Amino acid sequence: MVTIKLTNSKTHRKEVFEPLDPRHVRMYVCGPTVYDRAHLGNARPVVVFDVLYRLLRHVYGAEAVTYVRNFTDVDDKINAKAAETGRAIRDITDETIGWYHDDMDALGALRPNHEPRATEFIGAMIAMIEGLVAKGHAYAAEGHVLFRVRSYADYGALSGRSVDDMIAGARVEVAPFKEDPMDFVLWKPSEAGVPGWESPWGYGRPGWHIECSAMAYELLGESFDIHGGGLDLQFPHHENEIAQSACAHDHGSFAQVWLHNEMLLVEGKKMSKSLGNFFTVRDLLAQGYPGEVIRFVLLSTHYRKPMDWTAEKAREAERHLQLFWSMTAQVAAGAVDQRVIDALSDDLNTAQALSVLHQLYTEGDATTLAATMDFLGFVGGDRAYWVEEDKAVRARLEPYAEALAQAREQAMQTKDFSNVDALKVMLISAGAEVRMSKGSVEVLPTPDFDPVKLEALK
């Protein structure tokens, strides 16, 4: 059995992953609030945890792994969009979920086993809140129900801060009906025209944090193996999930392992609309970036490090994929390279896994490369596209091969090989491979070939 090691955000240590039940490995990942297109930052956890899902299926068997990722379809942002557009909320959420599926499918992400919508689990949320109130961990006030944070002694363990430190260092909503500034909303009243459900505390809707706790419990049980999401969710969302779940279920420990991916930058800067560097996955696809390219760039940086999207990285990714697909387009897949399994088993070292693809290409092992690319999720695109792109690149290099052959023929007569050497240096500097035999001259692209550099060196 392969040994998987993961860095647990709760313990801050890399630990051997030991599922509660190897016959049923369970993972929950926080999904999107469905009111608009998913941006590139939203896509990073999808791709990261898709790779983990693939690894778990490989190690434990596809039937032994349950992956849950939710849709938050009740939220003030959704209500605001409905009010602004005059459209029905369900129409907006259905459309947005469709967009999300299309975009994540384009990135090669497998669909989770379950994709629960929050509105389908309102009854479970109300039941959990009732239990928390009965145990003294929550209280009703002015149509709201709030979680009593200080009733849970371990609050703050995930983020590593005490409650008093959080109050001192954070902007906390202080409502007059709160017993403590850190207490958070489990249920809130809904005014006319806003979605709501009848409850013991009046007509209202759930707070954000209770949604994931209720859905995780219903689909995975009191205790499960892995909970994942972006680092921005660690506090307060995940901290609150732990508190309310641990208090609701006396015998459960909620998630055993917590994994958080770091944030995304664009050309070295935080992505924001004010900087003009904010874009959705659909924007990139519309600009002509294939989904495989986006996936390759996202996986080129370890999930626990900030990921910087750059146009140069995208160009490099496309060049690599052109060569890989060209080699594998006409072959049957063999076995997944064990070096990739080993890399991913070491805290999801996706950058190392991608480097194995380069090695397989260099080794000329097309069948293993094909299987390994499939395993890593590079399966959804049009392979013919990549073959044609590779042919186009090779066609651009043909004149240089001819020029090099002519220079060598002239050098054989003059015994002056300076022009030959200069051409070779130029081509190699641009990432091309020069093969010269007695009867032929070939100039081939490598994964590092950059036609922009070639033009600049002319």
Side-chain angles (χ1 to χ4, degrees):
M1 177 68 73
V2 173
T3 298
I4 299 174
K5 294 182 180 180
L6 299 170
T7 298
N8 191 343
S9 299
K10 195 167 185 177
T11 62
H12 308 290
R13 295 193 304 268
K14 186 188 291 188
E15 302 170 347
V16 173
F17 174 63
E18 297 178 346
L20 295 168
D21 180 359
R23 297 166 301 176
H24 187 195
V25 182
R26 289 161 288 172
M27 178 170 70
Y28 187 98
V29 175
C30 289
T33 300
V34 285
Y35 68 97
D36 207 347
R37 290 277 189 182
H39 59 69
L40 188 59
N42 300 140
R44 190 179 192 194
V46 173
V47 173
V48 166
F49 291 105
D50 176 67
V51 171
L52 178 56
Y53 181 40
R54 292 168 182 271
L55 176 64
L56 294 172
R57 286 161 56 98
H58 180 84
V59 173
Y60 295 98
E63 300 303 317
V65 182
T66 298
Y67 174 21
V68 178
R69 186 181 65 221
N70 72 292
F71 288 117
T72 294
D73 61 343
V74 51
D75 183 86
D76 290 344
K77 292 179 180 178
I78 301 172
N79 298 341
K81 186 165 185 177
E84 176 188 345
T85 61
R87 297 179 62 196
I89 286 175
R90 185 73 184 200
D91 288 346
I92 293 171
T93 56
D94 284 350
E95 178 182 61
T96 308
I97 288 172
W99 290 344
Y100 187 83
H101 279 149
D102 290 344
D103 293 345
M104 298 309 120
D105 289 351
L107 301 187
L110 299 173
R111 300 275 181 96
N113 301 98
H114 301 284
E115 294 183 288
R117 297 171 66 134
T119 53
E120 297 169 350
F121 289 80
I122 299 297
M125 297 174 203
I126 291 174
M128 184 175 285
I129 296 170
E130 286 182 306
L132 290 168
V133 171
K135 292 178 180 180
H137 293 294
Y139 58 94
E142 298 183 21
H144 295 73
V145 182
L146 297 108
F147 182 83
R148 192 174 273 122
V149 165
R150 293 186 190 272
S151 74
Y152 180 59
D154 292 332
Y155 191 86
L158 182 65
S159 53
R161 293 175 289 175
S162 71
V163 175
D164 291 330
D165 287 342
M166 293 178 192
I167 293 174
R171 295 179 179 177
V172 182
E173 178 189 358
V174 180
F177 49 80
K178 280 189 175 185
E179 292 180 357
D180 188 284
M182 287 302 296
D183 293 349
F184 59 87
V185 171
L186 300 174
W187 188 264
K188 56 187 174 182
S190 290
E191 58 273 17
V194 173
W197 292 262
E198 293 299 335
S199 79
W201 317 283
Y203 182 75
R205 59 195 190 278
W208 175 35
H209 311 299
I210 196 68
E211 295 178 10
C212 288
S213 285
M215 288 185 281
Y217 171 69
E218 292 294 319
L219 295 171
L220 300 177
E222 292 185 359
S223 303
F224 56 95
D225 299 299
I226 298 169
H227 195 312
L231 187 61
D232 58 321
L233 298 179
Q234 186 179 57
F235 180 84
H237 185 51
H238 290 164
E239 196 78 73
N240 292 349
E241 279 189 68
I242 293 173
Q244 62 202 11
S245 296
C247 292
H249 308 297
D250 296 334
H251 304 292
S253 53
F254 202 48
Q256 308 300 298
V257 179
W258 286 84
L259 299 179
H260 292 95
N261 63 274
E262 257 284 3
M263 295 297 97
L264 180 132
L265 305 173
V266 176
E267 302 290 350
K269 297 179 180 179
K270 183 178 179 180
M271 186 168 65
S272 71
K273 292 181 179 179
S274 62
L275 293 176
N277 65 351
F278 179 93
F279 43 81
T280 67
V281 173
R282 181 53 47 178
D283 291 335
L284 290 177
L285 294 170
Q287 290 170 23
Y289 289 102
E292 295 93 340
V293 168
I294 301 171
R295 184 182 183 91
F296 197 101
V297 175
L298 290 174
L299 294 179
S300 65
T301 301
H302 192 275
Y303 77 95
R304 295 182 62 241
K305 296 180 179 179
M307 209 294 295
D308 190 10
W309 170 276
T310 68
E312 176 58 26
K313 285 182 180 178
R315 285 194 295 269
E316 290 176 359
E318 184 152 14
R319 288 193 294 273
H320 297 156
L321 287 166
Q322 285 171 1
L323 296 178
F324 299 160
W325 280 126
S326 182
M327 176 179 280
T328 61
Q330 305 300 323
V331 303
V336 177
D337 195 289
Q338 185 60 38
R339 291 172 293 182
V340 165
I341 304 301
D342 293 341
L344 298 182
S345 297
D346 184 14
D347 200 23
L348 292 184
N349 192 340
T350 54
Q352 179 62 32
L354 293 184
S355 74
V356 174
L357 300 182
H358 297 256
Q359 295 174 50
L360 290 169
Y361 176 81
T362 302
E363 295 162 3
D365 190 347
T367 59
T368 304
L369 178 59
T372 306
M373 289 185 71
D374 286 354
F375 173 72
L376 288 172
F378 298 107
V379 296
D382 181 358
R383 299 191 184 200
Y385 164 84
W386 294 106
V387 173
E388 291 305 313
E389 288 294 300
D390 183 59
K391 287 180 180 178
V393 170
R394 292 172 186 264
R396 293 183 65 176
L397 288 172
E398 287 178 5
Y400 294 95
E402 294 173 0
L404 188 58
Q406 293 173 2
R408 185 177 70 166
E409 184 177 343
Q410 185 175 0
M412 295 291 290
Q413 299 174 4
T414 64
K415 308 303 180 185
D416 180 4
F417 286 85
S418 58
N419 286 340
V420 175
D421 293 338
L423 272 172
K424 286 175 62 178
V425 168
M426 180 184 73
L427 291 166
I428 292 170
S429 297
E433 178 186 359
V434 177
R435 297 180 182 177
M436 302 181 72
S437 64
K438 186 174 181 179
S440 67
V441 174
E442 289 184 287
V443 180
L444 304 172
T446 73
D448 298 319
F449 174 62
D450 187 348
V452 175
K453 288 182 181 178
L454 187 60
E455 294 300 318
L457 290 169
K458 287 176 64 174

